Amino acid sequence: MSAAADDSILSAGRVAPWLEQMVAALRGEGETDVPCGECVACCSSRQFVHVEPDEHAALAHIPEEVRFPAPGLPAGHVVLGYDDRGRCPMLGERGCTIYAHRPRACRVYDCRMFLATGVEPDRDQPAIVRQVRRWRFEPETADDTAVLVALRSVAAVLDDPACYPGDRLPSRASQRAAIAVGLHEIGRGGVPATPAAVRVELTRRSS
Ligand code: SF4
């Protein structure tokens, strides 16, 4: 992986079309299309990759010895761990060795969500921090500006436990960024998002 040392600027495209694609991916209606180049930051940042029981193609390509039962989830849900360098066991010297069959979690991960939402990546993932600093969205249209305002309005309240059913704050920054993407409509219309509005929507979606 050579991009870890590369601090050159990368175009992240326009934010409004990006959001449309990201929301669809999070709904299971597609996948993200990230111009990663040689970057493997997300594959080498001490992340547990969740694989669901219906992901037959991924499971068929992941050796049993690198799968572990997913904590707190029913039998059949597994996670991939990481080695002492933080690397996914399926990551080879030239990238993902099962790319065509990679898990759903990998297909919807897009580190541009940190740039879009303003959520800071976790400090224990310096390669992702570095990569996020390289992205720049292209010049904004009025629609793009509205999207950024909405995303950042929701993200700004997500450190408040009152947003979450049971007051359980998600431990990872990527979870909060994904929530901001999923709930961006709450921040639309010029009215700042509130923890109460976020909680109502998260409760509705989990019921
Ligand atoms: S399965 Fe492939 S894409 Fe997913 S984290 Fe591992 S190496 Fe990266």
Side-chain angles (χ1 to χ4, degrees):
M1 187 252 193
S2 60
D6 184 355
D7 293 326
S8 61
I9 299 302
L10 293 171
S11 171
R14 276 189 47 229
V15 69
W18 171 85
L19 179 64
E20 207 172 306
Q21 186 179 57
M22 186 74 197
V23 168
L26 290 173
R27 283 189 184 137
E29 297 164 1
E31 54 190 71
T32 58
D33 180 17
V34 193
C36 300
E38 294 183 356
C39 177
V40 291
C42 61
C43 307
S44 53
S45 288
R46 302 180 186 282
Q47 311 217 63
F48 289 104
V49 177
H50 176 200
V51 189
E52 298 180 80
D54 67 339
E55 296 191 65
H56 304 295
L59 290 167
H61 289 82
I62 298 170
E64 286 198 18
E65 57 268 28
V66 300
R67 306 180 200 165
F68 301 94
L73 291 175
H77 289 260
V78 298
V79 291
L80 303 182
Y82 47 82
D83 68 13
D84 55 4
R85 292 188 292 163
R87 292 168 64 94
C88 171
M90 305 315 298
L91 181 60
E93 289 311 312
R94 299 172 66 182
C96 179
T97 56
I98 57 163
Y99 188 80
H101 308 286
R102 66 199 186 285
R104 190 177 292 133
C106 309
R107 295 174 187 274
V108 303
Y109 188 91
D110 184 335
C111 67
R112 292 173 294 182
M113 68 183 165
F114 293 111
L115 174 65
T117 61
V119 173
E120 286 285 323
D122 290 308
R123 293 287 148 183
D124 62 355
Q125 297 183 323
I128 293 177
V129 171
R130 194 177 309 119
Q131 184 69 0
V132 171
R133 286 188 184 138
R134 298 178 66 198
W135 292 120
R136 299 287 184 279
F137 282 118
E138 287 177 11
E140 296 171 27
T141 64
D143 193 24
D144 294 326
T145 301
V147 161
L148 285 172
V149 169
L151 286 166
R152 291 171 184 181
S153 172
V154 177
V157 300
L158 293 181
D159 286 336
D160 187 337
C163 288
Y164 307 96
D167 294 340
R168 286 190 300 274
L169 194 66
S171 59
R172 303 303 295 181
S174 57
Q175 294 170 291
R176 296 194 294 282
I179 290 171
V181 169
L183 301 189
H184 69 99
E185 292 289 354
I186 292 175
R188 290 271 195 177
V191 180
T194 63
V198 170
R199 188 181 185 113
V200 165
E201 190 56 23
L202 287 178
T203 303
R204 188 186 72 78
R205 293 186 184 197
S206 64
S207 60

